[in-house]
Amino acid sequence: MTDRTAQLIACHECDLLQRDIQLNPGCYASCRRCGAVLYRNATDSVDRTLAYTLAACMVFLGANLFPIFAIEVQGDRSAITLFGAVLSLWDQGMRSVSTLVLITAILIPALELASLTYLLLPLKLGKVPPRYPLFMRTLQCIEPWGMVEVLMLGLLVSLVKLTNNFRVIPGMALWSFAVLTLLLAAAATAFNARDVWAQLDAKRRDLESR
Amino acid sequence: MSTADSPIAAGRGLCSCHVCQLVSRSTGTSRGQYCPRCGARLHLRRPGSVQRCWALVIASYILYIPANTLVMMETGSLISYRKDTIVSGVVHLWRTGSWMIAVIVFVASVAIPLLKLFSLTLLLISVQRKSTWHPQQRTRLYRLVEAVGRWSMLDIYVVTLLAALVQLGSLAIVKAGPAAIAFGAVVVLTMLATMEFDPRLIWDPLQKEEFHD
C-alpha cells in the first residue's frame, strides 16, 4: 500500500499530488500550485540539529536558573527569575495568565529540547529510540506554542519601561535568553522532519530484518 | 497543464498524513483510519474544520472587547497612580518618548489580533461560499496569519515580568489587571482557530474531481 505511493507527496496546503524528487543539499521543494514549502534538504540535518539542541539545553538551564534583571530603589533591590515571575503572578491571583506563561515560556521549550535530544542522540549513535512516532508527533503538535523569541522581545520592552523609573541591572539570564532565541531558531532551521522519519524508518527496518 | 485538472490527493482516494506527510490510500470507511507510519489520525479533510474555526473566531471577537477596554496594568508609586488599558499604555509610551516600543506594542497587541480575526473571517466566508477568488493570495494570507499569531503574547510577558519585579512595598507597585486574562484567552483562541482551519478547503472549489470524506 505504501510502496506504490512512496514517491508521491501531497501538498499540505492545497492537496496537490506531486512526485518526490531528489534535492541538492540546502535546497527546498515548493508546491507547483500554491507555493508552500513541501520539504527541504538541509545539510547534515541530524548532526547540526543535535549540536544546536545540546547547546540550547545548556543555555536553557542558565536562562531559567539565573535572575533576568534586578532593579534598585533607594538601596532596596529586587531580582527575578522567569519561574519567580510566574510564581509571583500566581500569588497575585492571575492563575490562568500565570499558567499560560509557564506553559509557553518554560514547559514547551523544555519539552521541545528534550524530545529533540531523545530522538536525535540515539539516531546519531545508530540506535532507534523506542516509541519514536509518539515523540515526532509531540514535536509537531507543540511547535507553534513555544514562544521564546516573543519572550525575548517582551524582556526588551520591559527593560525599556523600567529604565524610565528605576536603575536596572541586567542579569545572566537576559543574555542566556538572547542566545537561546538564536540557538532555537538555528535548530528549527537545521531540523528536517522528513529526513529524520526516513532515517528512523530505515534503521527500524534494518533491525527487524536482522 | 492548467491547475484545474491537476490531480489532488483526495480526488485519487489518497490521504496525506498531517504529521509525517506520508501519503497512503484512504479506505473510505467511516471508521477512523490511522497513519501506518506515525499513527496519527488520517482525514481527507479535517472534519468540522469550518464550524470549529467559526466558533473559536466568534469567541475571540467577544473576548477582544474586554481585552481592550479593561485594565491591563496598574502602576503606582509615591507620586503617581495609573491604570492602563492596552491602548492607553501605548499612548503613554508614545508620550514619554519610547516611540519604537510604542509601535512594537501597538502592532503586537492591537493590530495583529484584529487583523488575524478579520483574515480568518474572510477566509471562512470565502471557503463557505466555495469561492474560486484568488486562491493563491488567500493561501498566502493564511500563511501570514499562522506566522504572526504568537507575537500577540508580547504584552502578557511584559505584564508578568513587570508585575513580578516591581513589588517594593509602598514605594512602587505594578499589578496585572483583568484584561490580561481576556487578552491571553484571545491569543490562545485565535491560535487554535488558525490550527483548526484547513487551507486545503481554499483549493477544493477549483477541483472537478469529487471526493467524500
Side-chain angles (χ1 to χ4, degrees), chain A residues 50-87:
Chain A
L50 187 60
Y52 289 132
T53 306
L54 292 179
C57 285
M58 282 182 263
V59 177
F60 182 78
L61 284 180
N64 280 286
L65 292 177
F66 292 104
I68 301 171
F69 35 57
I71 53 169
E72 220 173 53
V73 189
Q74 299 176 350
D76 238 349
R77 182 188 272 225
S78 91
I80 46 155
T81 59
L82 185 58
F83 190 65
V86 170
L87 277 184

Side-chain angles (χ1 to χ4, degrees), chain B residues 2 26 56 70 89 95 122 127 140 148 150 153 168 194 198:
Chain B
S2 85
S26 167
L56 291 163
L70 294 181
R95 286 220 182 109
L122 177 81
V127 160
R140 268 194 210 137
V148 299
R150 320 122 60 80
M153 274 292 278
L168 299 175
T194 317
D198 192 336

Side-chain angles (χ1 to χ4, degrees), chain B residues 150-200:
Chain B
R150 320 122 60 80
W151 290 96
S152 335
M153 274 292 278
L154 181 71
D155 239 32
I156 300 278
Y157 288 136
V158 173
V159 167
T160 307
L161 293 165
L162 294 185
L165 192 57
V166 189
Q167 294 296 345
L168 299 175
S170 57
L171 268 177
I173 197 159
V174 174
K175 262 189 180 165
I181 297 171
F183 195 77
V186 170
V187 177
V188 172
L189 289 179
T190 50
M191 280 182 69
L192 287 174
T194 317
M195 285 175 207
E196 201 55 59
F197 186 79
D198 192 336
R200 292 175 294 190

Side-chain angles (χ1 to χ4, degrees), chain B residues 18 30 32 41 47 105 108 113 120 130 132 136 147 152 154 157 159 183 208 210:
Chain B
H18 61 99
S30 53
R41 219 182 163 116
V105 174
L120 282 171
K130 303 209 184 308
T132 52
Q136 192 144 18
S152 335
L154 181 71
Y157 288 136
V159 167
F183 195 77
K208 287 179 193 137
E210 285 283 314

Side-chain angles (χ1 to χ4, degrees), chain A residues 21 23-24 29 45-46 58 64 78 80-81 95 103-104 112 176 180 185-186 189 207:
Chain A
I21 50 162
L23 291 178
N24 290 328
S45 166
V46 172
M58 282 182 263
N64 280 286
S78 91
I80 46 155
T81 59
R95 303 216 164 152
I103 291 174
T104 56
E112 206 173 342
S176 305
L180 183 63
T189 318
L207 288 176

Side-chain angles (χ1 to χ4, degrees), chain B residues 1 5 9 18 23 36 42 49 56 66-70 75 118 131 139 143-145 165 168 184 201:
Chain B
M1 188 153 119
D5 22 78
H18 61 99
V23 176
L42 289 178
S49 159
L56 291 163
N68 278 280
T69 50
L70 294 181
T75 35
F118 286 155
S131 155
T139 311
R143 251 174 249 155
L144 187 73
V145 167
L165 192 57
L168 299 175
L201 295 174

Side-chain angles (χ1 to χ4, degrees), chain A residues 149-167:
Chain A
E149 73 275 31
V150 185
L151 175 70
M152 187 62 217
L153 189 64
L155 288 175
L156 295 178
V157 172
S158 321
L159 211 59
V160 174
K161 281 195 171 187
L162 286 169
T163 42
N164 287 338
N165 301 310
F166 304 98
R167 206 169 84 78

